[in-house]
Amino acid sequence: MNLILLGPPGAGKGTQAERLMSRYDIPQLSTGEMLRAAVAEGSDLGKQAKIIMEAGNLVPDDLMIKLISERIGHEDCANGFILDGFPRTTAQAQALDAMLVERDLRLDKVISITADEEALIERISGRFSCADCGAGYHDSFKQPRAEGVCDECGGGNFERRKDDNRETVMARLDTYRKQTAPIIPYYEGDGRLVQVDGMAEITAVGDAIQALL
Ligand code: ADP
Ligand code: AMP
C-alpha cells in the first residue's frame, strides 16, 4: 500500500499516519521528521534546512527529492509507505511519479485531509509529542491517558516543535496555500485523490480514511 497524506500543517497527517502504519505494517515517511533529525544531527542538510524551516519556507526541491528517492528504497518499504509532508510542490509530485515508474510501483491513494484555518492554528499551538518515540498529542484534543506518561512507550519526556509558534504557523499556512495546494489538481486529474473532512474527531477521521482504502 503506497499512500500520500496531503493537507495543510495541523490537518492531522501525522496523527492518521500512526494508525495506518500499524494497520498496514508500512512506515510513515515524514520529510519534516527527517529534516528535524538532520537539524538535530547538525548534518549539511540540517544546516541548510534549519533557517528555512524556522521561517516556514520550503527546503529546495532537489534536496527533498533526493531524500525521498533514497528513503523509499529502504527494506522497511517492501510493503509500501505513507508519505507525510511530501510532495509539497508540483516539481516534487512529478519527481515522485518518475521515481515510482522507475521502481515499478504505483500510488494507491492520495488522501487529502481538509480543515479550517482557525482549527489548524489551534491544533498546531497545542501540539506536543513524545521525545522518545515521537507519538503525537494535543493539550486539548489528545492528552496521554495517564498524565505525563506516553501511551505508546511509557516515556515521560515530551517536546514541542520550534516552528509551532503563531508567527511561523501563519507563514507555513501561506506557503501551503501558494506552493502545495496547487498540487491537488495534479492528483485529481487522474482519479488518485480522495478527500477527507479533517474537522471531525480523530477516530472519525481515521474511520473515514479506512472506508476509502
Ligand atoms: P500534521 O501532521 O498534519 O501537521 P498532526 O497530526 O500533528 O498534523 O496534528 C496536529 C495537532 O492536532 C496534534 O496535536 C494532534 O493531536 C491534533 N489533531 C489531529 N487530528 C485532529 C482532529 N481530527 N481533531 C482534533 N485535533 C486533532
Ligand atoms: P512538517 O513536519 O511536514 O510540518 O514540515 C516542517 C518543515 O519542514 C516545513 O515547514 C518545511 O520547511 C520543511 N519541509 C518538510 N517537508 C518538506 C518538503 N517536502 N519540501 C520542502 N520542505 C519541506
Side-chain angles (χ1 to χ4, degrees):
M1 177 77 79
N2 300 319
L3 302 172
I4 295 178
L5 291 174
L6 191 64
K13 301 181 295 295
T15 303
Q16 297 305 327
E18 283 183 34
R19 175 164 161 178
L20 291 164
M21 271 197 294
S22 53
R23 174 152 188 118
Y24 293 103
D25 192 24
I26 51 178
Q28 169 199 18
L29 310 186
S30 158
T31 41
E33 283 298 322
M34 293 179 205
L35 291 171
R36 282 187 286 281
V39 171
E41 228 173 66
S43 66
D44 286 346
L45 172 65
K47 283 181 195 144
Q48 283 187 69
K50 190 171 187 286
I51 299 165
I52 297 173
M53 292 169 80
E54 284 172 7
N57 295 326
L58 294 184
V59 173
D61 285 335
D62 56 337
L63 298 178
M64 300 313 299
I65 291 164
K66 192 163 162 248
L67 194 67
I68 280 296
S69 171
E70 193 265 327
R71 183 65 185 85
I72 61 172
H74 286 200
E75 211 171 291
D76 65 343
C77 295
N79 293 334
F81 48 77
I82 306 158
L83 287 172
D84 165 2
F86 184 96
R88 252 178 160 98
T89 62
T90 305
Q92 292 181 17
Q94 287 167 342
L96 176 65
D97 272 345
M99 261 177 241
L100 295 176
V101 168
E102 207 173 281
R103 291 165 202 265
D104 205 16
L105 298 172
R106 65 180 186 88
L107 281 174
D108 291 282
K109 287 270 184 294
V110 179
I111 301 163
S112 163
I113 308 178
T114 58
D116 297 351
E117 207 143 291
E118 269 311 304
L120 297 173
I121 294 166
E122 190 184 9
R123 285 183 191 181
I124 292 173
S125 308
R127 166 160 67 183
F128 64 98
S129 64
C130 173
D132 299 323
C133 76
Y137 297 98
H138 191 279
D139 292 328
S140 312
F141 307 128
K142 195 188 173 204
Q143 281 279 356
R145 283 191 290 273
E147 201 186 325
V149 182
C150 176
D151 294 351
E152 302 299 326
C153 74
N157 302 310
F158 295 93
E159 61 189 6
R160 287 177 196 262
R161 282 170 48 175
K162 207 170 174 192
D163 60 349
D164 277 354
N165 60 74
R166 199 176 173 93
E167 194 188 324
T168 312
V169 169
M170 300 313 280
R172 285 157 64 202
L173 289 173
D174 196 47
T175 300
Y176 177 81
R177 271 193 300 270
K178 290 186 178 139
Q179 293 181 260
T180 305
I183 70 176
I184 291 176
Y186 179 82
Y187 289 117
E188 235 164 15
D190 56 15
R192 285 180 286 183
L193 190 90
V194 289
Q195 197 156 306
V196 172
D197 176 14
M199 292 298 289
E201 283 188 11
I202 292 173
T203 50
V205 177
D207 292 346
I209 292 175
Q210 196 51 58
L212 291 164
L213 295 177

